[in-house]
Amino acid sequence: MLDPELLERITARRAELDEREELLAKELAEVRAERDELAVAERVFERVSEQLADERASAAPTPGQVGGRAVMLIPHRTSGVEETTLPPDYQRILAAVRQAAGPVMARQVGDTLGIDVSVRSKLEPLRGKLVRLVDRGWLRKLPDGRFTTRL
């Protein structure tokens, strides 16, 4: 005959293992669900990254080409180069600076051009264009950060 104490220990151990199996199955289900969520998040991240890369590529200025060679879209100001060779948005910036009664800040130029200057992401590209015009000799930047036309 079987020892009742041994039978009781076997039954208790089986109950412990059943409980442990249930906990492990629950934990495994949670792990699988989280892995599925991570896979979805990874796909979304890849799609958004691709879209951003496409947007950046399409928004990046394409260099002008003459005879298959890249040329500067904002030429240096020299005696033979006319203002009309500048892209239209740069011509408007020059006109706005000229119309001002004196040296102007980028924010004032933005106001004149109808740019929402309260939004930094819209003002900074304008400031970059003003600096590019300074670098190419079309404008002058004063030490206090204001811009003026060259004489």
Side-chain angles (χ1 to χ4, degrees), residues 9-61:
R9 286 178 54 203
I10 290 173
T11 305
R13 182 67 179 148
R14 183 178 304 272
E16 283 177 29
L17 292 175
D18 287 346
E19 187 178 321
R20 187 162 182 217
E21 181 183 24
E22 189 178 313
L23 287 173
L24 288 172
K26 183 179 176 183
E27 191 175 337
L28 180 61
E30 290 172 359
V31 166
R32 286 182 176 155
E34 187 174 347
R35 284 180 57 194
D36 291 344
E37 289 174 5
L38 288 173
V40 169
E42 187 176 30
R43 286 194 301 269
V44 168
F45 177 77
E46 288 171 359
R47 285 185 190 150
V48 169
S49 294
E50 289 172 4
Q51 288 175 346
L52 287 174
D54 291 345
E55 288 175 13
R56 285 185 187 123
S58 66

Side-chain angles (χ1 to χ4, degrees), residues 8 22 37 41 48 61 66 71 87 89 115 122 141:
E8 190 178 309
E22 189 178 313
E37 289 174 5
V48 169
V66 174
V71 294
D89 52 337
I115 295 171
K122 294 189 180 190
K141 186 174 182 182

Side-chain angles (χ1 to χ4, degrees), residues 94-135:
L94 276 176
V97 174
R98 279 202 184 101
Q99 288 172 0
V104 291
M105 298 296 287
R107 184 174 303 279
Q108 293 170 289
V109 175
D111 281 336
T112 303
L113 297 175
I115 295 171
D116 184 4
V117 295
S118 65
V119 179
R120 184 179 181 104
S121 64
K122 294 189 180 190
L123 183 61
E124 288 308 311
L126 172 62
R127 189 181 321 280
K129 289 178 181 181
L130 284 161
V131 169
R132 197 166 298 117
L133 287 169
V134 169
D135 292 343

